[in-house]
Amino acid sequence: MRILVVGSGAREHALVWKIAQSRLCDKIFCAPGNGGISQIAECIDIKADDISGLLKFARKEKIDLTVVGPETALSLGIVDEFEKAGLKIFGPAKSAANLEASKIFSKELMAKYKVPTADFKIFDNPEEAKKYIEKIGAPCVVKADGLAGGKGVVVAKAIDEAKNAVTLMMQDKIFGDAGKKIIIEECLTGQEASILVITDSKEVVALASAQDHKRVFDNDQGPNTGGMGAYSPATIVTSDIFKEIMDKIIYRTIDGLAKEGIDYRGVLYAGVMLTKDGPKTLEFNARFGDPETQAILPRLKSDLLEVMLATREGKLSKIRNLEWDDRACVCVVCAAEGYPGNYTKDKEISGLDAAEKSGDIVVFHAGTKKAGNKILTNGGRVLGVTGLGGSIKEAINKTYSAIKKINFEGMHYRLDIGRKAI
Ligand code: AMP
Ligand code: GLY
């Protein structure tokens, strides 16, 4: 089969790496891909949100299955367009991807179908939102309705901070139309976990649990990032908690969507807070998580491409269970100087081969490009160095020793990825 993966980050590198191992995969393309992906797939210079460009390419190259990484393409309706053209694609349709693209849609669905989540109120008027904040006090959480590149959530410790977030989103319009409407919600406390499942809207197969690390510095300090690392399994998710999440969050949501006439096909990702009152949903994503995918896929023994094809055909029931490697996996993100603010580019990366020779290590590229024989930095998050070990502790040790072999000017990374699990 001829496969096209859409996207350019370490998540897409992990997807390409895993799909290329399938006995069904003869040729794999990635659009636009990156320096690391180009070592496995043929990278095509088409942007992930250029739907007509991707469609033209998939037709011309007789692609048998397209797999979508990023949310923007999904929310623009790439799946609907491909299916209209008779092309097979893995991912939810636009109406289903709304679960991620509109936080209001997602919260209203949760309220209607009794999916546990933080209490919330929706606003389209900034003055009313600010009055409400004064009434409920801090801490509280302010969320832009639409997609904001992972920056649309402010967990405010003080009333002024929350009101300022309202000003920025609704009056200064820093996220454009995405902040036209906002949500103000109750601030939850507890540990977070990411639960990803694959569903064809009738059957659900769960992926292994994972935990992301969103802040840039150790001990969850500093500004939010796209994710500085992840590990799998998330040991705080015991089998009882897992079952509760599946019953109360995953199944209720998929069934609720079906009742609304929306068939969800693809990956459903629930960001969950494990509160003292049980697991509550923080957000849904309509795609594979980044960097969770980099920590999950190295543990997956089953053929991912087979699962994706079955999902697309509505025949996930023939898969039932996935096979997992019992070992733990840790992914540590190496970022460019300045990230998550303005960051440097074009720095030469050394030591990649040496790191991968360490055994049980894969280096997924996030923001890199090839220049002759060299690999240069080309993004804020540059690499996801990923290691498997008999325990989380062993995976951590292996991953950090591999990182010591890698270098580029200004490289920084967290030293505590996975430590919460020990
Ligand atoms: P979201 O994009 O909704 O997942 O929000 C991003 C991050 O903000 C989450 O991973 C949490 O760390 C935090 N967050 C979101 N909603 C809440 C909430 N209601 N209470 C506390 N933290 C939250
Ligand atoms: N790990 C967070 C996300 O993928 O949105």
Side-chain angles (χ1 to χ4, degrees), residues 34-73:
N34 64 36
I37 294 173
S38 71
Q39 290 161 3
I40 318 175
E42 187 174 331
C43 290
I44 311 299
D45 191 16
I46 306 174
K47 292 209 170 69
D49 56 5
D50 176 3
I51 295 178
S52 60
L54 293 167
L55 193 68
K56 223 164 104 189
F57 175 81
R59 258 207 201 109
K60 185 174 127 247
E61 286 294 335
K62 302 196 166 37
I63 297 297
D64 296 298
L65 184 74
T66 298
V67 175
V68 187
E71 62 274 20
T72 320

Coordinates of all heavy atoms in Angstrom, one line a residue, residues 34-73:
N34 N 10.0 16.3 7.8 CA 11.2 17.1 8.4 C 12.5 16.3 8.1 O 12.4 15.2 7.4 CB 11.0 17.4 9.8 CG 10.9 16.1 10.7 OD1 11.6 15.1 10.5 ND2 10.1 16.2 11.7
G35 N 13.6 16.7 8.6 CA 14.9 16.1 8.4 C 14.9 14.6 8.8 O 15.5 13.8 8.1
G36 N 14.3 14.3 9.9 CA 14.3 12.9 10.4 C 13.4 12.0 9.6 O 13.7 10.9 9.2
I37 N 12.2 12.6 9.3 CA 11.2 11.8 8.5 C 11.8 11.5 7.2 O 11.5 10.4 6.6 CB 9.9 12.6 8.4 CG1 9.3 12.8 9.8 CG2 8.9 11.9 7.5 CD1 8.1 13.7 9.9
S38 N 12.6 12.4 6.6 CA 13.1 12.2 5.2 C 14.0 10.9 5.1 O 14.3 10.5 4.0 CB 13.8 13.4 4.7 OG 15.0 13.6 5.4
Q39 N 14.4 10.4 6.3 CA 15.3 9.2 6.2 C 14.4 7.9 6.1 O 14.9 6.9 5.8 CB 16.1 9.1 7.5 CG 17.2 10.2 7.5 CD 17.8 10.5 8.8 OE1 17.5 9.9 9.8 NE2 18.7 11.5 8.9
I40 N 13.1 8.1 6.3 CA 12.2 6.9 6.1 C 11.2 7.1 5.0 O 10.9 6.2 4.3 CB 11.4 6.6 7.4 CG1 12.2 6.8 8.7 CG2 10.7 5.3 7.3 CD1 11.3 6.7 9.9
A41 N 10.7 8.3 4.9 CA 9.6 8.6 3.9 C 10.1 9.6 2.9 O 11.1 10.3 3.1 CB 8.4 9.2 4.7
E42 N 9.4 9.6 1.8 CA 9.6 10.6 0.8 C 8.9 11.9 1.2 O 7.6 11.9 1.3 CB 9.2 10.2 -0.6 CG 9.6 11.1 -1.7 CD 9.3 10.5 -3.1 OE1 9.3 9.3 -3.3 OE2 9.1 11.4 -4.0
C43 N 9.6 13.0 1.5 CA 8.9 14.2 2.0 C 8.5 15.0 0.8 O 9.3 15.2 -0.2 CB 9.8 15.0 2.9 SG 10.1 14.1 4.5
I44 N 7.3 15.5 0.9 CA 6.7 16.3 -0.2 C 6.5 17.7 0.3 O 5.9 17.9 1.4 CB 5.3 15.7 -0.6 CG1 5.4 14.2 -0.7 CG2 4.7 16.4 -1.8 CD1 6.3 13.8 -1.8
D45 N 6.8 18.7 -0.5 CA 6.7 20.1 0.0 C 5.3 20.6 -0.2 O 5.0 21.5 -1.0 CB 7.7 20.9 -0.8 CG 7.8 22.3 -0.2 OD1 7.4 22.5 1.0 OD2 8.3 23.2 -0.9
I46 N 4.4 20.0 0.6 CA 3.0 20.6 0.6 C 2.7 20.8 2.1 O 2.9 19.9 2.9 CB 2.0 19.5 0.0 CG1 2.4 19.1 -1.4 CG2 0.6 20.1 0.0 CD1 1.5 18.0 -2.0
K47 N 2.1 21.9 2.4 CA 1.8 22.2 3.8 C 0.6 21.4 4.3 O -0.2 21.0 3.5 CB 1.5 23.7 4.0 CG 2.7 24.6 3.8 CD 2.6 25.9 4.6 CE 3.9 26.7 4.6 NZ 4.2 27.3 3.2
A48 N 0.6 21.1 5.6 CA -0.4 20.3 6.2 C -1.8 20.8 6.1 O -2.8 20.1 6.2 CB 0.0 20.0 7.7
D49 N -1.9 22.1 5.9 CA -3.3 22.7 5.8 C -3.7 23.0 4.4 O -4.7 23.6 4.1 CB -3.5 23.9 6.7 CG -2.4 25.0 6.4 OD1 -1.6 24.8 5.5 OD2 -2.4 26.0 7.2
D50 N -2.8 22.6 3.4 CA -3.1 22.8 2.0 C -3.9 21.6 1.5 O -3.4 20.7 0.8 CB -1.8 23.0 1.2 CG -2.0 23.2 -0.3 OD1 -3.2 23.2 -0.7 OD2 -1.0 23.2 -1.0
I51 N -5.2 21.7 1.8 CA -6.0 20.5 1.5 C -6.1 20.2 0.0 O -6.0 19.0 -0.4 CB -7.4 20.6 2.2 CG1 -7.2 20.7 3.7 CG2 -8.3 19.5 1.8 CD1 -8.4 20.9 4.5
S52 N -6.3 21.2 -0.8 CA -6.4 20.9 -2.2 C -5.1 20.4 -2.8 O -5.1 19.5 -3.6 CB -7.0 22.1 -3.0 OG -6.1 23.2 -2.9
G53 N -4.0 20.9 -2.3 CA -2.7 20.4 -2.7 C -2.5 18.9 -2.3 O -2.0 18.1 -3.1
L54 N -2.9 18.6 -1.1 CA -2.7 17.2 -0.6 C -3.6 16.3 -1.4 O -3.2 15.2 -1.8 CB -3.1 17.2 0.9 CG -2.1 17.9 1.8 CD1 -2.7 18.0 3.2 CD2 -0.8 17.1 1.9
L55 N -4.8 16.8 -1.7 CA -5.8 15.9 -2.4 C -5.3 15.6 -3.9 O -5.3 14.5 -4.3 CB -7.1 16.7 -2.5 CG -8.3 16.0 -3.0 CD1 -8.8 15.0 -1.9 CD2 -9.5 17.0 -3.2
K56 N -4.7 16.7 -4.5 CA -4.2 16.5 -5.8 C -3.0 15.5 -5.8 O -2.9 14.6 -6.6 CB -3.6 17.8 -6.3 CG -4.0 18.2 -7.7 CD -3.8 19.6 -8.1 CE -2.5 19.8 -8.9 NZ -2.2 21.3 -9.0
F57 N -2.2 15.6 -4.8 CA -1.0 14.7 -4.6 C -1.5 13.2 -4.4 O -1.0 12.3 -5.0 CB -0.1 15.1 -3.5 CG 1.0 14.2 -3.2 CD1 2.2 14.2 -4.0 CD2 0.9 13.2 -2.2 CE1 3.2 13.3 -3.8 CE2 2.0 12.3 -2.0 CZ 3.1 12.4 -2.8
A58 N -2.5 13.1 -3.5 CA -2.9 11.7 -3.2 C -3.6 11.1 -4.4 O -3.4 9.9 -4.6 CB -4.0 11.8 -2.0
R59 N -4.2 11.8 -5.2 CA -4.8 11.3 -6.4 C -3.8 10.9 -7.4 O -3.8 9.8 -7.9 CB -5.7 12.4 -7.1 CG -7.1 12.2 -6.9 CD -7.9 12.9 -8.0 NE -9.2 13.1 -7.6 CZ -9.7 14.3 -7.3 NH1 -9.0 15.4 -7.5 NH2 -10.9 14.5 -6.9
K60 N -2.8 11.8 -7.6 CA -1.8 11.6 -8.6 C -0.9 10.3 -8.2 O -0.6 9.5 -9.0 CB -0.9 12.8 -8.7 CG 0.2 12.7 -9.8 CD 0.9 14.1 -10.0 CE 2.4 13.8 -9.9 NZ 3.1 14.3 -8.8
E61 N -0.6 10.2 -6.9 CA 0.3 9.2 -6.5 C -0.5 7.9 -6.1 O 0.1 7.0 -5.5 CB 1.1 9.7 -5.3 CG 2.2 10.7 -5.7 CD 3.3 10.0 -6.5 OE1 3.5 8.8 -6.4 OE2 3.9 10.8 -7.3
K62 N -1.8 7.9 -6.3 CA -2.6 6.7 -6.0 C -2.4 6.2 -4.5 O -2.0 5.1 -4.3 CB -2.3 5.6 -7.0 CG -2.6 5.9 -8.4 CD -2.7 4.7 -9.3 CE -3.3 5.0 -10.6 NZ -2.9 6.2 -11.3
I63 N -2.5 7.2 -3.6 CA -2.3 6.9 -2.2 C -3.5 6.0 -1.7 O -4.7 6.3 -2.0 CB -2.3 8.2 -1.4 CG1 -1.1 9.1 -1.8 CG2 -2.3 7.9 0.1 CD1 0.3 8.4 -1.6
D64 N -3.2 4.9 -1.0 CA -4.2 4.0 -0.5 C -4.8 4.5 0.9 O -5.9 4.2 1.2 CB -3.6 2.6 -0.3 CG -3.2 2.1 -1.7 OD1 -4.1 1.9 -2.6 OD2 -2.0 1.8 -1.9
L65 N -4.0 5.2 1.7 CA -4.5 5.7 2.9 C -3.7 6.9 3.3 O -2.4 6.9 3.3 CB -4.4 4.7 4.1 CG -5.0 5.1 5.4 CD1 -6.5 5.1 5.3 CD2 -4.6 4.3 6.6
T66 N -4.4 8.0 3.7 CA -3.8 9.2 4.2 C -4.0 9.2 5.7 O -5.1 9.0 6.1 CB -4.3 10.4 3.5 OG1 -4.0 10.3 2.1 CG2 -3.8 11.7 4.0
V67 N -3.0 9.6 6.5 CA -3.1 9.7 7.9 C -2.8 11.1 8.3 O -1.8 11.6 8.0 CB -2.1 8.7 8.6 CG1 -2.1 8.8 10.1 CG2 -2.4 7.2 8.1
V68 N -3.7 11.7 9.1 CA -3.6 13.1 9.4 C -3.0 13.3 10.8 O -3.6 12.8 11.8 CB -5.0 13.8 9.3 CG1 -4.8 15.3 9.5 CG2 -5.6 13.5 8.0
G69 N -2.0 14.1 11.0 CA -1.4 14.4 12.3 C -2.1 15.6 13.0 O -2.8 15.4 14.0
P70 N -1.9 16.8 12.4 CA -2.3 18.0 13.1 C -3.8 18.3 13.1 O -4.5 18.0 12.1 CB -1.5 19.1 12.4 CG -1.1 18.6 11.1 CD -1.2 17.1 11.2
E71 N -4.3 19.1 14.1 CA -5.7 19.4 14.2 C -6.2 20.4 13.2 O -7.4 20.3 12.8 CB -6.0 19.9 15.6 CG -5.3 21.2 16.0 CD -3.9 21.0 16.6 OE1 -3.3 20.0 16.4 OE2 -3.4 22.0 17.3
T72 N -5.3 21.3 12.7 CA -5.8 22.3 11.8 C -6.4 21.7 10.5 O -7.5 22.0 10.1 CB -4.7 23.3 11.4 OG1 -3.9 23.5 12.5 CG2 -5.2 24.6 10.8
A73 N -5.7 20.7 9.9 CA -6.2 20.1 8.7 C -7.6 19.4 9.0 O -8.5 19.5 8.2 CB -5.2 19.0 8.2

